[in-house]
Amino acid sequence: EAGVTQFPSHSVIEKGQTVTLRCDPISGHDNLYWYRRVMGKEIKFLLHFVKESKQDESGMPNNRFLAERTGGTYSTLKVQPAELEDSGVYFCASSQGRQGASPLHFGNGTRLTVT
Amino acid sequence: AQSVTQLDSQVPVFEEAPVELRCNYSSSVSVYLFWYVQYPNQGLQLLLKYLSGSTLVKGINGFEAEFNKSQTSFHLRKPSVHISDTAEYFCAVRFPQGGSEKLVFGKGTKLTVNP
């Protein structure tokens, strides 16, 4: 079974540019999550999809961040325009079954550096 | 506010020594508890989880954790560590009540096992 896949693994962009991160969850997993870890801080929740619907987007920092999940499969997270404070590691995770009890399977993350 | 505290940011130990990584959470309701590990340049991997039942939970790689409801703690232990256990360890809590399925993470503990 393939795990959660994230592209790219690293991205370096200048302030004001746009970046799109992609996540392919484990096949059949309805739940897809985005998390972010800013250097030195804890991993923080961004949002949660159930299939193609946004179940909880309370962690999205501002309207420069846009997440989509096309057809309930892969997901993209776009940052436009990027700011210096957006630098960090963005993790995607997926799960299936009863949401609360099902563990999350994480991807390797995308390390975003905004200069 | 719901929070997770990992009391030690770094824990150095010698190979074959026992180790305990501490985790406390704040909640007055039932929670689900998880420990994840992140090896260098990899994603987060589930070590173990507590959902209900026996308070002593065994996970992969010889790790175990004990849930203590009165102390709201979920400390991770291993009786004898190996060099390969060097990694960052994250305690995470899910608060199933209230409709949100997000994980709340602690800041992580970097375990360094020295020869």
Side-chain angles (χ1 to χ4, degrees):
Chain A
E1 175 184 81
V4 176
T5 307
Q6 292 187 244
F7 300 98
S9 57
H10 294 82
S11 180
V12 180
I13 62 172
E14 293 183 354
K15 176 182 173 181
Q17 290 186 322
T18 298
V19 63
T20 300
L21 314 180
R22 173 170 170 145
C23 169
D24 286 78
I26 292 173
S27 178
H29 280 194
D30 288 340
N31 300 297
L32 188 149
Y33 305 81
W34 284 98
Y35 287 81
R36 175 175 74 171
R37 189 183 193 194
V38 173
M39 187 178 295
K41 302 271 183 87
E42 62 268 34
I43 300 168
K44 284 200 169 179
F45 168 83
L46 294 178
L47 87 159
H48 169 208
F49 284 99
V50 176
K51 296 184 180 179
E52 67 276 8
S53 300
K54 291 176 184 175
Q55 180 79 7
D56 180 356
E57 52 185 329
S58 61
M60 295 288 264
N62 50 60
N63 59 11
R64 295 186 294 103
F65 288 76
L66 175 64
E68 295 180 322
R69 189 177 183 193
T70 307
T73 55
Y74 71 91
S75 175
T76 57
L77 179 64
K78 180 189 288 188
V79 185
Q80 178 182 31
E83 298 289 344
L84 298 178
E85 63 264 26
D86 300 331
S87 295
V89 181
Y90 290 76
F91 291 103
C92 176
S94 69
S95 71
Q96 184 56 297
R98 193 161 67 96
Q99 295 176 14
S102 298
L104 272 60
H105 300 264
F106 283 82
N108 287 351
T110 294
R111 182 174 296 277
L112 174 64
T113 302
V114 183
T115 62
Chain B
Q2 300 163 341
S3 66
V4 180
T5 302
Q6 291 183 244
L7 296 166
D8 305 299
S9 59
Q10 298 190 53
V11 174
V13 295
F14 288 108
E15 193 173 16
E16 297 183 6
V19 70
E20 179 179 80
L21 306 183
R22 296 178 291 171
C23 173
N24 288 84
Y25 64 93
S26 64
S27 177
S28 58
V29 298
S30 296
V31 297
Y32 298 143
L33 297 153
F34 305 83
W35 275 98
Y36 283 85
V37 59
Q38 185 181 25
Y39 298 104
N41 301 315
Q42 295 187 27
L44 283 80
Q45 179 182 355
L46 180 69
L47 269 180
L48 47 79
K49 62 182 178 182
Y50 172 80
L51 305 179
S52 65
S54 173
T55 58
L56 183 63
V57 180
K58 293 191 183 297
I60 62 172
N61 301 341
F63 283 93
E64 63 181 31
E66 185 155 21
F67 169 58
N68 188 318
K69 186 175 182 179
S70 63
Q71 297 186 4
T72 58
S73 68
F74 190 54
H75 301 332
L76 180 71
R77 295 192 290 260
K78 187 170 182 177
S80 175
V81 293
H82 302 288
I83 299 286
S84 59
D85 292 323
T86 295
E88 191 161 17
Y89 293 78
F90 295 92
C91 180
V93 178
R94 223 171 197 168
F95 303 89
Q97 287 78 13
S100 176
E101 298 294 341
K102 65 184 179 185
L103 277 176
V104 178
F105 283 88
K107 289 188 175 182
T109 298
K110 289 185 179 178
L111 174 66
T112 303
V113 181
N114 298 301

